[in-house]
Amino acid sequence: MLTNIVTILPVFLIVLSGFGAGRAGVLGPDGATILNRFVVWIALPCLLFDVVATTDWHTYWNPGFATVSLIGSFAVFAIGLVIGRMRGLSIADMGVDGLNASYCNAVYIGLPLLTLTLGPAVRPHIIVAAGFTLTALFVAGVILIEAGRSHGHGMAGAALHIVTGMARNPVIVSPLAGLIWWWSGLALPAPIHGFLTMLGTAASPAALVAVGLFLAQRPIVHAIGNPHVLALSLVKLVAHPAITAWLAWKVFMLPADIAATAIAVAALPTGTGPFMIAEFYARDGKVTSGTIMVSTIASVATIAGVLLLLHG
């Protein structure tokens, strides 16, 4: 257990450095926003395009992994809906709770942490989880929010809004563009590959610092004392990997390395996607930001425990 904690500790130390910078104010009040924009619009798209365009997908694409990831995520999404219902929320806010329980931080934390612990071969699977599973969850959450806001009307407009929003999202567009390039069979020119590699290398540390800056803006005490935050965090960190493990080992019987990656991805804390959705639709973001904070902090121990279970 201690060895696993030591292995993943550098990732969380980078998050801690961002947290300290945020509390000290050294990057200014807009530091988190600017750094997040750099990651989302420049560094991360370069990384995603480069990985997708240069990966041998004939070797790495595994439909079993994608299926387990999708079913496991939607199972805990449903649990999040139940928690929202028990809180007496509207269908729109239940959709946010569904995302709180299921939306993994696969890109900001998953890519650097699991690449470090499981090796670079897992990166294509993480991108599948980020691009395929998280997009499906995102769509489901937005549909519920739009359904709640429209009271049964205007779903065609909601669908159009979803599609156009996806088309403008660089984290979704860049891997799709990389996939098109891969299909072309063309090799990336050396200068372009060097450009993508240099900027892509900056994505993970910058994203982790951005997570720390995000956490620094929110009071920890209030989050820890909120029973709804604790319930959603427990679902995310315990139920999600447990359900995924059952699917991977008992139902789909995936190969050991593929199953380990699916379970490790499911064990990741809640990402910032639900908070961005809550902010965009002017929903109450207190429980969402608290779940992101608590699950991120607690995942130091839970991820180490999952890695211990998987690899001993």
Side-chain angles (χ1 to χ4, degrees):
M1 181 74 166
L2 181 60
T3 301
N4 286 313
I5 291 177
V6 171
T7 301
I8 67 176
L9 192 58
V11 171
F12 288 96
L13 287 177
I14 298 175
V15 174
L16 185 61
S17 71
F19 182 86
R23 284 299 173 91
V26 297
L27 297 180
D30 298 324
T33 300
I34 294 171
L35 186 57
N36 189 64
R37 287 176 181 171
F38 164 74
V39 173
V40 170
W41 287 97
I42 300 177
L44 188 55
C46 288
L47 174 64
L48 296 177
F49 180 93
D50 187 36
V51 171
V52 173
T54 59
T55 292
D56 180 5
W57 289 104
H58 293 301
T59 300
Y60 284 105
W61 171 254
N62 188 293
F65 172 86
T67 303
V68 165
S69 177
L70 192 66
I71 295 175
S73 295
F74 270 96
V76 290
F77 181 88
I79 296 174
L81 295 183
V82 172
I83 292 174
R85 182 67 175 173
M86 292 173 64
R87 292 173 58 199
L89 300 180
S90 66
I91 189 171
D93 291 308
M94 286 168 58
V96 177
D97 264 7
L99 291 174
N100 291 337
S102 60
Y103 198 97
C104 293
N105 199 331
V107 176
Y108 279 17
I109 290 180
L111 267 176
L113 191 150
L114 299 183
T115 299
L116 176 66
T117 55
L118 301 179
V122 305
R123 292 199 306 177
H125 300 304
I126 298 170
I127 290 175
V128 167
F132 178 62
T133 304
L134 296 189
T135 297
L137 289 170
F138 182 85
V139 170
V142 170
I143 287 174
L144 287 176
I145 293 171
E146 292 287 358
R149 294 171 77 233
S150 64
H151 299 289
H153 301 286
M155 288 304 293
L160 178 62
H161 178 79
I162 293 168
V163 172
T164 55
M166 296 293 183
R168 292 194 299 265
N169 190 325
V171 178
I172 294 173
V173 172
S174 56
L176 289 178
L179 187 61
I180 293 171
W181 187 278
W182 175 78
W183 267 331
S184 74
L186 298 173
L188 282 174
I192 300 300
H193 184 56
F195 161 78
L196 294 171
T197 300
M198 291 180 70
L199 272 175
T201 302
S204 292
L208 293 171
V209 172
V211 170
L213 290 169
F214 171 84
L215 296 177
Q217 296 173 348
R218 285 146 184 87
I220 297 176
V221 175
H222 293 167
I224 295 176
N226 189 315
H228 307 307
V229 167
L230 296 179
L232 289 165
S233 298
L234 188 66
V235 171
K236 182 68 205 69
L237 297 178
V238 178
H240 197 175
I243 292 171
T244 302
W246 176 73
L247 290 168
W249 286 336
K250 301 297 184 181
V251 179
F252 290 88
M253 299 182 204
L254 297 180
D257 57 334
I258 303 297
T261 303
I263 297 165
V265 169
L268 293 168
T270 302
T272 56
F275 183 78
M276 289 187 284
I277 289 293
E279 287 281 288
F280 182 81
Y281 285 102
R283 317 310 300 180
D284 185 2
K286 292 180 182 178
V287 168
T288 299
S289 61
T291 302
I292 295 170
M293 177 182 295
V294 170
S295 65
T296 300
I297 294 171
S299 66
V300 178
T302 57
I303 291 175
V306 168
L307 293 174
L308 178 64
L309 173 65
L310 295 174
H311 296 289

